């Protein structure tokens, strides 16, 4: 790989062994990808804190936290001193809710280790957002900005809605990027790889959050890891807002591996279909009409059998303030059924706003729990005795049966709240 003089000096050890190890990792990674060079990044989203027993055992060795971070962040069995980060680095979600460790399966020892690692990460310069939606709480990169992000639903939002540039990175590459402010220049950093390959033509209106989740699931399954452009001949009746695009992207990146999409007239690199396609012909033109919509709904709900619901999970991806407001309006004056639990996940920065605006109080008065930092899939936790759950996220409906063996019903937020209050699933395609 071609390195600048500054990068060569970092790789040669000028700035100490931590920077040298990080450069070594990025160079090996970049060469494996055939990247020509590195690119400067000032925006990293990764996993910096630790809580797992295996990580704790490394932190108990000589070198302490640096030994664990060398192993798990830099792929180095030699413990090196970890320097302060050069790039703005945001922490993504965790494996548990720091305010409800008992509900999300974290024991006391893990919590104590996590708290220590949290202090250490903050000292290095990590900003502890603890969410899969950093773009909802202040990390909003600009169009064309080179980023190094993990988390599929965040990556697709960053590339598509914001027009910034990232590949789906891993724990080690984001950690090395935090230290060096560099990432290999390949994949979606290159303008020529950002053009659409597949055209999806809508024959139905796509308006609600449920509609966008369904369409995302269909698109991901159909194009897998290619780049789709969505177009509607008759036009969209409503411009999709943040929650709708968040649900669309999360679904497309879980049923397939989509990391970048365009919506003609909506997303920043696609004022027209032609612009999104780079003036080329699409590899395939795919139609999405009533039949496809219904088939997708049935597929997502294929695991829903039992209509008695023990659990309703909202907030995948983490809920925005607007979604918490909607949920609180639906819940006001009602009670969650005694046989059911309602958990709603949001970033802790948004929870602070929900507290201030009275939404938390309404949710809790109804018997729901407002949770942060994690979700059911990542923490692998659902209330004890859960056999069937209701969700308003196609992504979560995809993961719950596969990861936790729970039946899942997918529907609108209103249908999910109704299920929480009655203990029965009565939803259907609207
Ligand atoms: Fe976020 Fe968990 Fe969904 S990390 S995108 S809420 S699976």
């Amino acid at each position: 790989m071609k390195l600048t003089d500054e990068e060569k000096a970092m790789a040669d050890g000028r700035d100490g062994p931590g920077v040298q190890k990080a450069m070594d990792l990025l160079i090996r990674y970049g060469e494996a990808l055939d990247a020509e060079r590195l690119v400067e990044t000032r925006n990293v989203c990764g996993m910096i804190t630790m809580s797992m027993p295996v990580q704790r055992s490394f932190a108990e060795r000589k070198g302490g936290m640096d030994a664990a971070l060398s192993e798990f962040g830099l792929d180095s069995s030699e413990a090196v001193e970890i320097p302060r980060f050069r790039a703005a680095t945001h922490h993504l979600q965790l494996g548990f809710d720091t305010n409800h460790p008992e509900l999300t399966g974290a024991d006391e020892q893990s919590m104590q280790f996590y708290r220590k690692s949290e202090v250490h990460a903050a000292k290095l310069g990590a900003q502890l957002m603890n969410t899969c939606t950093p773009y909802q709480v202040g990390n909003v990169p600009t169009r064309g900005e080179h980023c190094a992000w993990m988390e599929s639903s965040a990556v697709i939002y960053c590339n598509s809605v914001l027009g910034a540039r990232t590949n789906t990175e891993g724990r080690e590459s984001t950690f090395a990027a935090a230290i060096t402010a560099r990432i290999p220049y390949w994949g979606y950093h290159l303008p020529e790889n950002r053009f659409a390959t597949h055209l999806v033509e809508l024959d139905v209106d796509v308006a609600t959050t449920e509609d966008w989740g369904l369409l995302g699931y269909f698109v991901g399954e159909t194009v897998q890891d290619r780049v789709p452009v969505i177009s509607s001949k008759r036009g969209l009746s409503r411009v999709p807002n943040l929650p709708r695009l968040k649900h669309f992207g999360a679904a497309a990146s879980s049923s397939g591996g989509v990391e970048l999409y365009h919506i003609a007239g909506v997303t920043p690199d696609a004022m027209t279909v032609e612009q999104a396609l780079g003036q080329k012909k699409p590899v395939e033109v795919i139609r999405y009409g009533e039949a496809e919509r219904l088939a997708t709904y049935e597929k997502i709900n294929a695991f829903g059998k039992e209509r008695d619901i023990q659990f309703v999970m909202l907030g995948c991806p983490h809920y925005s303030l607007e979604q918490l407001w909607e949920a609180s309006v639906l819940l006001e004056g009602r009670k969650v059924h005694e046989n059911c639990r309602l958990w709603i996940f949001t970033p802790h920065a948004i929870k602070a706003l929900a507290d201030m605006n009275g939404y938390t109080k309404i949710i809790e008065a109804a018997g729901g729990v407002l949770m942060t930092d994690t979700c059911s899939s990542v923490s692998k936790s659902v209330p004890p005795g859960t056999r069937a759950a209701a969700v308003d996220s196609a992504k979560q409906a995809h993961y719950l049966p596969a990861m936790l063996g729970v039946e899942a019903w997918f529907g609108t937020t209103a249908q999910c709240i109704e299920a929480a209050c009655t203990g029965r699933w009565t939803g259907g395609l609207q």
Side-chain angles (χ1 to χ4, degrees):
M1 259 199 311
K2 284 186 214 136
L3 300 181
T4 63
D5 290 345
E6 174 67 12
E7 290 162 356
K8 277 185 202 150
M10 289 198 279
D12 289 345
R14 182 195 67 190
D15 300 339
V19 173
Q20 190 174 22
K21 287 273 181 204
M23 283 301 286
D24 175 60
L25 187 145
L26 290 173
I27 292 167
R28 282 186 287 133
Y29 173 48
E31 283 175 351
L33 295 164
D34 248 349
E36 230 174 66
R37 62 179 176 93
L38 301 172
V39 65
E40 194 172 340
T41 176
R42 298 274 158 196
N43 191 321
V44 176
C45 286
M47 305 282 193
I48 317 297
T49 62
M50 297 174 288
S51 58
M52 291 192 291
V54 60
Q55 294 168 327
R56 195 164 69 224
S57 72
F58 274 85
E60 282 160 1
R61 295 179 187 178
K62 192 166 164 242
M65 283 293 181
D66 281 350
L69 288 171
S70 298
E71 178 69 31
F72 294 97
L74 292 178
D75 188 29
S76 165
S77 49
E78 180 198 346
V80 291
E81 189 183 337
I82 305 295
R84 284 182 71 91
F85 296 157
R86 292 183 185 190
T89 299
H90 304 106
H91 197 287
L92 293 163
Q93 68 275 7
L94 319 174
F96 51 88
D97 176 352
T98 50
N99 293 313
H100 297 97
E102 72 294 348
L103 294 182
T104 44
D107 58 29
E108 186 51 35
Q109 258 191 321
S110 301
M111 276 307 292
Q112 279 180 13
F113 175 51
Y114 169 74
R115 289 292 181 205
K116 248 175 91 178
S117 115
E118 193 182 53
V119 171
H120 191 78
K123 274 196 194 141
L124 291 175
Q127 292 154 20
L128 303 167
M129 289 182 166
N130 294 8
T131 176
C132 51
T133 59
Y135 51 87
Q136 294 196 124
V137 289
N139 183 357
V140 188
T142 48
R143 182 164 180 252
E145 188 176 346
H146 292 283
C147 302
W149 283 25
M150 285 174 73
E151 167 52 45
S152 62
S153 70
V155 164
I156 191 170
Y157 195 93
C158 179
N159 272 323
S160 316
V161 183
L162 304 176
R165 300 177 180 196
T166 185
N167 295 301
T168 303
E169 296 295 345
R171 181 171 195 134
E172 295 83 357
S173 60
T174 49
F175 196 71
I179 291 174
T180 61
R182 299 289 189 285
I183 198 73
Y185 184 65
W186 72 289
Y188 292 122
H189 289 285
L190 277 66
E192 62 269 29
N193 292 339
R194 297 180 60 87
F195 291 120
T197 53
H198 289 58
L199 171 61
V200 180
E201 287 184 338
L202 305 182
D203 282 348
V204 282
D205 191 25
V206 178
T208 64
T209 307
E210 182 191 31
D211 283 340
W212 282 99
L214 286 169
L215 177 61
Y217 200 88
F218 169 81
V219 168
E221 259 210 322
T222 311
V223 309
Q224 290 296 309
D225 60 354
R226 263 65 63 80
V227 182
V229 53
I230 318 297
S231 163
S232 170
K233 278 186 199 142
R234 61 179 171 177
L236 295 165
S237 65
R238 279 191 231 164
V239 174
N241 61 3
L242 185 154
R244 290 171 175 81
L245 294 179
K246 184 174 65 170
H247 277 269
F248 173 82
S253 60
S254 52
S255 63
V258 180
E259 293 174 57
L260 165 65
Y261 65 84
H262 305 284
I263 303 175
V266 175
T267 56
D269 291 333
M271 280 307 103
T272 61
V273 170
E274 293 71 30
Q275 184 194 359
L277 287 163
Q279 312 300 332
K280 291 197 188 125
K281 281 206 176 326
V283 173
E284 197 182 339
V285 179
I286 299 145
R287 178 184 172 277
Y288 181 77
E290 267 312 333
E292 288 76 15
R293 180 171 182 265
L294 179 61
T296 306
Y297 178 84
E298 283 172 354
K299 181 166 255 176
I300 298 175
N301 278 294
F303 290 100
K305 302 271 182 282
E306 181 175 337
R307 286 193 177 258
D308 284 336
I309 298 295
Q310 297 82 39
F311 178 39
V312 174
M313 186 262 183
L314 304 175
C316 169
H318 283 176
Y319 256 15
S320 65
L321 188 64
E322 175 190 347
Q323 290 173 295
L324 289 179
W325 165 65
E326 284 168 0
S328 70
V329 168
L330 290 163
L331 275 169
E332 193 155 20
R334 302 188 75 186
K335 286 276 177 218
V336 172
H337 192 271
E338 57 183 354
N339 296 337
C340 193
R341 297 288 171 270
L342 169 65
W343 291 358
I344 306 181
F345 294 88
T346 193
H348 53 218
I350 292 182
K351 179 172 181 297
L353 290 170
D355 293 351
M356 202 167 97
N357 285 286
Y359 309 151
T360 310
K361 213 171 159 188
I362 295 171
I363 292 165
E364 290 178 352
V369 189
L370 190 52
M371 299 171 83
T372 59
D373 308 302
T374 190
C375 71
S376 286
S377 289
V378 171
S379 64
K380 301 197 176 42
S381 51
V382 292
T386 299
R387 297 183 306 277
V391 295
D392 64 354
S393 158
K395 173 171 178 169
Q396 199 62 208
H398 184 80
Y399 281 147
L400 277 185
M403 296 178 80
L404 295 168
V406 167
E407 288 182 20
W409 292 101
F410 164 73
T412 65
T413 306
Q415 290 170 352
C416 289
I417 299 273
E418 189 59 28
C421 295
T422 59
R424 289 280 296 169
W425 179 252
T426 53
L429 184 59
Q430 291 190 337

